[in-house]
Amino acid sequence: EGATSESLSGVETVVAAPILNGPGEVIGALYGERHRSVRAAQGPLGMLEARLVELLARIVAGGLARVEE
């Protein structure tokens, strides 16, 4: 197996959601990552957290659309 990239060192999970403009074109992305934790109770990224990132991306897209008006 290859060497792990230093930029991903300690990263357990990543999630990304596209930021779309009015016609549905991708104009950016919202990205989040979860690092390995010493807290054993913290499990893998769940559906709720993934949906939250998607919701935040939609909120950003809506704000950008208002600014462009």
Side-chain angles (χ1 to χ4, degrees), residues 2 5-6 11 13 18-21 24 26 34 36 38 40 47-50 53-54 56 61 63 66:
S5 171
E6 284 189 36
V11 174
T13 307
I19 298 173
L20 307 174
N21 64 8
V26 177
R34 175 177 284 170
R36 290 183 187 93
V38 294
M47 183 59 74
L48 179 62
E49 294 151 314
V53 171
E54 184 179 49
L56 290 172
R66 281 190 222 86

Side-chain angles (χ1 to χ4, degrees), residues 4-46:
T4 301
S5 171
E6 284 189 36
S7 65
L8 295 176
S9 178
V11 174
E12 178 182 325
T13 307
V14 297
V15 63
I19 298 173
L20 307 174
N21 64 8
E25 301 166 327
V26 177
I27 59 171
L30 184 65
Y31 168 87
E33 60 187 40
R34 175 177 284 170
H35 290 263
R36 290 183 187 93
S37 174
V38 294
R39 294 185 298 165
Q42 186 176 13
L45 190 73

